[in-house]
Amino acid sequence: MRVGVIAYELEGARSGVGRYLDGLLRGAAEIDGSSIEWQLLFKGDPTEEPLLDLPGVSGLYDRRPSARPIAWEQIRLPRVLRRLELDLLFSPGYSLPIAPALPQVVTLHDLSYEHLRHEFRPREGLRRRLLARWAAKKADRVLVDTHAMAADLARTYRVDAAKIGVVPLAVDRRFFSPTAEAGVLHGLGVRPPYLLCLGSVLPRRRLDLVIRAFADTAPEPTQLVIAGRDRLPESGRLQSWIDASPARDRIARLDYVPETVITALYAGADASIYLSDYEGYGLPPLESLAAGTAALTSPGMALDDLVPDYPYRVELTPDAVGRGLRRLLDDPKRQATVRSARDVLRRLTWKACAERFIDELGSVLNRGTPRG
């Protein structure tokens, strides 16, 4: 089976979709006896891409580094595909080109641009909606990360449930052996004990509830560390929440932090907090648990599928968040809960995810769809 993979998300700094694709292909390389040839389709110039060192992986560079990714995908890529002998085309993130008669599979990680339109600029939101709707309609198979997303996709886009496949994401192995290096934390201005909120600051992430619950619940001298780019639509809104808090002197604000220090931040925290009105997957709580740190989280994330009885899950109301945080911090069985969740996450390797992924690709070709 020769699979073309739209790979511009691997160019430059790794995006979330790029890390997802990287994990799947590395997991696939661990599967004994795999007969798949992966043709990575890049829009830019040749680079030292480590994935090309894996068995069965090759790259095609279109040498158009200045092209906008979506314009390249929709206008240029169909011409490239006509020259290739592929059995199937895979897009790891939200869109598909108007391609020749070739079986196609796409992953839709979430529908935030449908449900949270206020978080997107009007033009960007419209573009995302049009591309995702087209991809969901055109694809022979639509992959999602969770069962909740499968139901959302079937409901919102009226996609036949039989056309949807669930392939979860694994947690990178580095999170299972973290070290809370004092020098790293000191360099960030972080001192234990602290609670950690890590991730882009978006309206859906409910930092207003987190800050309120922290002030009402966490004892001194515990800090609240908020790390991640501020993407709230109103400049200064996050700082206004912090300034209005009676615990403002114990709130440390970091901007984007590099991946090299994330494991240390998780490992040094007493607990992490990740609340959201809507998520396609919700990887940070899983990373926190893998690092040995309990996470306070909300329903509707991958943790629902993976650890259905996880006890530190709260509804998004001020009282519920405060009660949940207090219960987590005071629970003498907290570390036992973390160990149990870690055992589940250890089994969710990228190899296991890739096996499901390859089964999904095979199900498309086994229906006898004609080769392009």
Side-chain angles (χ1 to χ4, degrees), residues 304-369:
D304 295 357
D305 286 356
L306 301 173
V307 189
D309 59 348
Y310 185 72
Y312 310 131
R313 193 182 282 116
V314 297
E315 297 298 328
L316 294 176
T317 67
D319 289 344
V321 174
R323 288 194 305 270
L325 182 57
R326 188 175 296 109
R327 184 174 70 250
L328 183 155
L329 294 176
D330 294 342
D331 190 354
K333 298 180 180 179
R334 183 171 70 194
Q335 285 311 116
T337 297
V338 171
R339 286 193 296 271
S340 177
R342 272 186 113 210
D343 289 342
V344 173
L345 296 176
R346 280 187 188 278
R347 296 193 293 271
L348 185 65
T349 63
W350 276 116
K351 179 181 178 182
C353 296
E355 287 171 342
R356 296 194 198 184
F357 170 60
I358 290 172
D359 284 346
E360 292 289 349
L361 301 187
S363 72
V364 173
L365 294 180
N366 289 340
R367 292 202 300 267
T369 311

Side-chain angles (χ1 to χ4, degrees), residues 184-311:
V184 172
L185 299 181
H186 180 75
L188 295 170
V190 174
R191 54 167 175 75
Y194 65 90
L195 307 179
L196 176 65
C197 280
L198 191 150
S200 296
V201 180
L202 298 164
R204 74 182 89 160
R205 301 271 162 80
R206 302 311 305 269
L207 269 294
D208 56 327
L209 296 181
V210 172
I211 291 170
R212 177 171 171 178
F214 170 74
D216 292 342
T217 304
E220 294 190 30
T222 302
Q223 277 189 314
L224 174 64
V225 177
I226 300 174
R229 287 198 177 103
D230 186 348
R231 292 174 56 190
L232 293 173
E234 297 178 35
S235 176
R237 171 60 66 89
L238 175 59
Q239 191 58 50
S240 71
W241 291 337
I242 294 172
D243 291 342
S245 171
R248 56 186 170 274
D249 293 338
R250 295 190 286 129
I251 300 176
R253 173 73 182 108
L254 307 179
D255 195 57
Y256 170 82
V257 292
E259 294 207 8
T260 52
V261 304
I262 287 177
T263 53
L265 277 172
Y266 278 131
D270 283 9
S272 69
I273 307 173
Y274 193 83
L275 309 179
S276 186
D277 289 320
Y278 178 89
E279 292 292 321
Y281 197 70
L283 197 55
L286 306 184
E287 293 172 342
S288 177
L289 288 163
T293 299
L296 184 73
T297 188
S298 48
M301 302 188 203
L303 198 56
D304 295 357
D305 286 356
L306 301 173
V307 189
D309 59 348
Y310 185 72

Side-chain angles (χ1 to χ4, degrees), residues 80-273:
V80 174
L81 291 171
R82 292 189 188 100
R83 304 198 307 263
L84 303 176
E85 291 188 6
L86 298 174
D87 294 295
L88 184 145
L89 178 68
F90 171 62
S91 169
Y94 301 99
S95 59
L96 283 170
I98 302 173
L102 182 70
Q104 298 186 61
V105 177
V106 66
T107 299
L108 298 183
H109 299 277
D110 66 81
L111 298 180
S112 55
Y113 38 82
E114 296 284 359
H115 303 310
L116 304 171
R117 298 192 179 193
H118 60 284
E119 291 194 2
F120 297 86
R121 294 187 298 274
R123 187 173 179 177
E124 179 192 6
L126 178 61
R127 174 182 63 80
R128 286 173 177 263
R129 290 191 293 275
L130 290 176
L131 288 171
R133 291 173 185 177
W134 163 257
K137 179 179 179 180
K138 180 176 177 56
D140 296 87
R141 191 79 174 156
V142 183
L143 305 183
V144 295
D145 304 328
T146 67
H147 289 92
M149 177 57 193
D152 186 15
L153 180 63
R155 180 174 58 250
T156 303
Y157 284 172
R158 300 184 183 278
V159 176
D160 185 346
K163 183 179 172 178
I164 303 170
V166 178
V167 177
L169 284 64
V171 177
D172 193 287
R173 296 298 97 181
R174 65 193 169 93
F175 286 99
F176 289 92
S177 54
T179 55
E181 301 173 25
V184 172
L185 299 181
H186 180 75
L188 295 170
V190 174
R191 54 167 175 75
Y194 65 90
L195 307 179
L196 176 65
C197 280
L198 191 150
S200 296
V201 180
L202 298 164
R204 74 182 89 160
R205 301 271 162 80
R206 302 311 305 269
L207 269 294
D208 56 327
L209 296 181
V210 172
I211 291 170
R212 177 171 171 178
F214 170 74
D216 292 342
T217 304
E220 294 190 30
T222 302
Q223 277 189 314
L224 174 64
V225 177
I226 300 174
R229 287 198 177 103
D230 186 348
R231 292 174 56 190
L232 293 173
E234 297 178 35
S235 176
R237 171 60 66 89
L238 175 59
Q239 191 58 50
S240 71
W241 291 337
I242 294 172
D243 291 342
S245 171
R248 56 186 170 274
D249 293 338
R250 295 190 286 129
I251 300 176
R253 173 73 182 108
L254 307 179
D255 195 57
Y256 170 82
V257 292
E259 294 207 8
T260 52
V261 304
I262 287 177
T263 53
L265 277 172
Y266 278 131
D270 283 9
S272 69
I273 307 173

Side-chain angles (χ1 to χ4, degrees), residues 68-80 82 97-98:
R68 293 180 178 273
I70 295 302
W72 175 82
E73 177 187 85
Q74 297 300 313
I75 299 171
R76 173 65 186 173
L77 182 57
R79 302 176 193 174
V80 174
R82 292 189 188 100
I98 302 173

